[in-house]
């Protein structure tokens, strides 16, 4: 065993666990964590703000399927990543935040040391699934094991490790075995019961959540065997693209709720049944689900809703087992007809403004095949979350569900692009949300990433203004003046194009941008009042 510092051993331990990229901003409280990074082969990407580091790690994890890792300093570095950690927790994204913390003898004393918090560890515990404090060099290995454990079994989410300044530079020993992936044993009796119920049912509906996004082939085969329409939550979009049984529409829509309520057996795969998917209009409930069979990797999640039959398993494993247990001949229950009627009714229900925005999304998708489309909380993203069929599983995600953090889109797109450099990335952000994280575009410039940053410029918080008007609240604070994005792009040294909100013009501009293979900004002039266009 080669003697190294705790910081160097940390990097070796991360590499042993498959980490290939770290997002972070070096500081005086993380210098020792960086000691072994340069020679490790792990890529380092420098955001412009620690919040950007957390969101980049999130985007990386969603696309790669591996944990995203962020290095941040003590105090403000950690507090700046709490919002990304909360977003990752809401969406079950594996993110590890590694932070420094003040010298061991000063903790909890309140002497006013640089970056001091009353109790940083306790603060991180309020958001992280696991938060580890490495008090001694010999605790590092066990802390890494515990921080990575939620990524290998159960519902994933953010974890945290903090290392005091006086510990990070002390001697340790490298060499950490990567923890084996674990999963709950499949209960064959539960599978048999589920197969029997599904076989007898006359109208099955499948609800697919983010936990099913890696089970696409099995999901499609199961849907075809059961002749069952498949309703996709936001994080499941891209599954079964264009299939006659697919319903890429929110289960909050009345048309989709009616389909679910008409079923005599509902199979929910990898979905938490949360209100941002199932009750986004805050009606206080969701569709009744007869004969509900739930499959989820998280035992605690299975206990949170009344369920006829709960199966503790990964969605892919359960779909394969159900297919093996069901009769070989597909049943006929007019599934495609039911799905088609629901799609048509849902599309009509979202209204003309959202339909216009969905047509823009369709044009974007068709212009750049197999793209990753990543969004912030902005009007076309809300429209797409209600109704949009992406062509790539896991290729549509955003922060407009779950925790709902603004400023997510730009840095998450950067992390996603690093995870899959072969894909063109389309980042959709409003002019308001873009101002939360616009400087992060320079990280895309540094890394020369193929990302088109699409700015939906309605000159304010258009969605919020509409919501205030809908309930007769005077609109206040919804018109922050946006920057001129053309000069901003010039300052970044990247191409810039401005187009009207016309699908054909947007598609043409995106095709040109994708050919460059470099970062660029495409501004969509929604209101026609962009400076120089009045």
């Amino acid at each position: 065993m080669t003697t190294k510092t705790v910081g160097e051993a940390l990097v070796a331990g991360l590499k042993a666990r498959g980490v290939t990229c770290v997002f972070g901003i070096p500081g005086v409280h993380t210098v020792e964590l960086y000691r072994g990074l340069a020679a490790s082969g792990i890529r380092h990407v420098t955001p412009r703000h620690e919040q950007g580091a957390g969101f980049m790690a999130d985007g990386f994890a969603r696309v790669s399927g591996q944990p995203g890792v962020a290095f941040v300093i003590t105090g403000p570095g950690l507090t700046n990543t709490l919002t990304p950690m909360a977003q990752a927790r809401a969406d079950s994204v594996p993110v590890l935040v590694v932070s420094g913390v003040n010298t061991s003898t000063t903790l909890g004393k309140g002497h006013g040391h640089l970056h001091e918090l009353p109790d940083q560890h306790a603060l991180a515990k309020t958001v992280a699934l696991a938060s580890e404090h490495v008090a001694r060099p010999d605790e590092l290995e066990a802390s890494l094991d515990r921080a990575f454990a939620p990524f290998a079994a159960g519902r994933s989410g953010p974890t945290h490790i903090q290392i005091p300044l006086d510990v990070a530079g002390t001697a340790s020993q490298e060499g950490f075995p990567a923890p084996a992936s674990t999963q709950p044993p499949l209960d064959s009796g539960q599978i048999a019961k589920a197969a029997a119920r599904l076989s007898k049912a006359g109208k099955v509906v499948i609800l697919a959540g983010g936990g099913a996004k890696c089970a696409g082939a099995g999901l499609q085969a199961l849907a075809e065997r059961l002749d069952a329409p498949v309703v996709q939550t936001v994080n499941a979009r891209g599954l079964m693209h264009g299939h006659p049984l697919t319903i890429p529409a929110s289960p909050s829509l009345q048309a989709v709720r009616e389909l679910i309520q008409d079923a005599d057996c509902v199979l929910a795969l990898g979905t938490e049944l949360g209100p941002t998917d199932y009750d986004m209009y805050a009606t206080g409930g969701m569709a009744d689900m007869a004969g509900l069979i739930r499959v989820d990797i998280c035992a605690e999640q299975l206990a949170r809703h009344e369920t006829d039959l709960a199966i503790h398993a990964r969605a892919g494993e359960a779909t394969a087992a159900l297919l093996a247990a069901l009769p070989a001949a597909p049943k006929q229950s007019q599934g495609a007809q039911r799905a088609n009627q629901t799609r048509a009714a849902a599309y009509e229900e979202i209204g003309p403004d959202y339909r216009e925005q969905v047509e823009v999304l369709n044009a974007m998708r068709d212009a750049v095949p197999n793209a990753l489309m990543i969004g912030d909380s902005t009007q076309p993203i809300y429209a797409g979350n209600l109704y949009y069929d992406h062509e790539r599983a896991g290729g549509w995600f955003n922060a407009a569900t779950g925790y709902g953090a603004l400023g997510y889109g730009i840095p998450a797109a950067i992390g996603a692009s690093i995870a899959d450099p072969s894909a063109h990335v389309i980042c959709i952000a409003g002019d308001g949300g873009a101002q939360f994280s616009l400087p992060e575009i320079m990280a895309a410039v540094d890394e020369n990433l193929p990302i088109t940053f699409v700015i939906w410029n309605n000159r304010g918080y258009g969605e919020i203004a509409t919501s205030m008007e809908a309930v007769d609240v005077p609109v206040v604070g919804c018109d922050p003046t946006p920057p001129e994005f053309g000069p901003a792009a010039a300052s970044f040294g990247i191409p810039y194009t401005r187009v009207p909100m016309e699908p054909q013009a947007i598609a043409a501009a995106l095709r040109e941008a994708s050919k460059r293979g470099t970062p660029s900004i495409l501004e969509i002039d929604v209101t026609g009042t962009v400076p120089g266009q009045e």
Side-chain angles (χ1 to χ4, degrees):
M1 303 285 272
T2 303
T3 300
K4 295 195 173 187
T5 67
V6 168
E8 290 173 301
L10 167 74
V11 172
L14 293 175
K15 187 171 183 179
R17 288 161 173 78
V19 174
T20 60
C21 185
V22 167
F23 304 91
I25 302 175
V28 293
H29 282 195
T30 54
V31 167
E32 285 297 337
L33 304 186
Y34 279 78
R35 185 178 292 279
L37 199 59
S40 69
I42 295 177
R43 182 176 183 176
H44 183 272
V45 175
T46 307
R48 276 28 182 192
H49 189 280
E50 288 92 357
Q51 179 172 275
F55 285 145
M56 288 179 193
D58 178 299
F60 178 90
R62 294 193 199 221
V63 173
S64 70
Q66 301 299 314
V69 179
F71 276 11
V72 301
I73 65 165
T74 307
L78 188 279
T79 56
N80 284 341
T81 57
L82 287 176
T83 293
M85 290 170 70
Q87 185 72 50
R89 180 154 186 163
D91 287 344
S92 305
V93 180
V95 169
L96 169 63
V97 174
V98 180
S99 74
V101 71
N102 291 97
T103 303
S104 301
T105 57
T106 71
L107 297 180
K109 301 291 180 60
H111 289 163
H113 289 275
L114 179 66
H115 302 329
E116 186 178 55
L117 283 167
D119 191 340
Q120 179 176 290
H121 190 208
L123 180 63
K125 282 182 176 180
T126 64
V127 178
L129 296 178
S131 179
E132 295 292 320
H133 175 78
V134 181
R136 302 189 311 272
D138 61 0
E139 293 180 355
L140 177 62
E141 180 175 358
S143 291
L144 277 165
D145 284 344
R146 288 191 293 268
F148 273 78
F151 306 152
R155 186 184 182 197
S156 200
T159 63
H160 168 246
I161 296 175
Q162 67 176 25
I163 304 177
L165 294 177
D166 55 312
V167 175
T170 57
S172 184
Q173 296 290 316
E174 72 165 337
F176 301 99
S181 177
T182 60
Q183 59 185 36
L186 191 62
D187 188 327
S188 58
Q190 296 289 77
I191 291 293
K193 288 181 183 178
R197 295 184 186 188
L198 291 166
S199 297
K200 293 177 182 177
K203 292 181 179 180
V204 176
V205 168
I206 298 174
L207 308 177
K213 71 179 183 181
C214 295
L219 173 65
Q220 180 171 323
L222 183 62
E224 290 171 349
R225 184 79 62 85
L226 295 170
D227 197 23
V230 178
V231 177
Q232 301 159 13
T233 68
V234 171
N235 286 328
R237 297 294 173 81
L239 292 169
M240 297 175 59
H241 170 66
H243 194 281
L245 290 171
T246 200
I247 300 175
S250 170
S252 292
L253 293 170
Q254 187 58 34
V256 182
R257 286 184 167 192
E258 289 174 2
L259 172 80
I260 296 169
Q261 291 179 166
D262 188 50
D264 54 3
C265 188
V266 175
L267 173 62
L269 298 171
T271 173
E272 68 175 353
L273 301 177
T276 57
D277 274 311
Y278 291 85
D279 190 28
M280 66 174 294
Y281 296 114
T283 63
M286 59 182 71
D288 293 332
M289 301 179 188
L292 177 61
I293 301 171
R294 285 193 74 190
V295 175
D296 204 280
I297 192 63
C298 178
E300 291 80 7
Q301 184 58 248
L302 286 171
R304 289 177 184 146
H305 291 276
E306 186 174 341
T307 304
D308 284 38
L309 183 61
I311 300 174
H312 188 203
R314 298 184 189 278
E317 181 187 27
T319 54
L322 286 169
L323 280 166
L326 287 165
K331 66 189 298 183
Q332 299 295 324
S333 60
Q334 298 182 315
Q337 180 180 340
R338 289 188 289 143
N340 185 56
Q341 290 172 344
T342 302
R343 284 194 302 270
Y347 189 66
E348 181 66 23
E349 184 179 337
I350 65 174
D353 290 343
Y354 274 171
R355 287 198 295 271
E356 186 178 22
Q357 292 163 32
V358 169
E359 289 308 309
V360 169
L361 295 175
N362 290 339
M364 290 180 173
R365 177 198 63 210
D366 297 342
V368 189
N370 204 40
L372 294 165
M373 200 174 291
I374 296 151
D376 217 317
S377 295
T378 190
Q379 285 179 325
I381 295 299
Y382 291 125
N385 285 350
L386 283 175
Y387 191 107
Y388 171 67
D389 191 9
H390 199 59
E391 64 178 345
R392 170 177 175 163
W396 167 272
F397 60 87
N398 55 76
T401 63
Y403 195 60
L406 267 172
Y408 172 86
I410 290 173
I414 292 168
S417 184
I418 288 170
D420 185 358
S422 68
H424 193 80
V425 176
I426 300 170
C427 172
I428 304 174
D431 59 288
Q435 292 181 72
F436 279 53
S437 53
L438 195 64
E440 300 297 353
I441 291 178
M442 284 306 299
V445 174
D446 288 346
E447 304 295 327
N448 195 33
L449 301 175
I451 305 174
T452 302
F453 296 98
V454 178
I455 308 297
W456 183 267
N457 193 349
N458 56 19
R459 299 188 66 75
Y461 301 139
E463 190 69 20
I464 304 304
T466 299
S467 298
M468 294 173 81
E469 290 169 346
V471 292
D472 296 322
V473 172
V475 177
V476 176
C478 292
D479 57 351
T481 302
E484 294 191 34
F485 290 100
S491 74
F492 296 149
I494 61 176
Y496 164 81
T497 307
R498 184 170 64 213
V499 295
M501 197 184 78
E502 296 174 1
Q504 305 255 341
I506 294 167
L510 268 178
R511 279 191 290 268
E512 287 302 310
S514 67
K515 291 175 185 176
R516 300 188 194 104
T518 62
S520 63
I521 290 179
L522 170 61
E523 180 180 357
I524 298 177
D525 178 3
V526 178
T527 65
T529 58
V530 174
Q533 296 289 303
E534 292 94 333

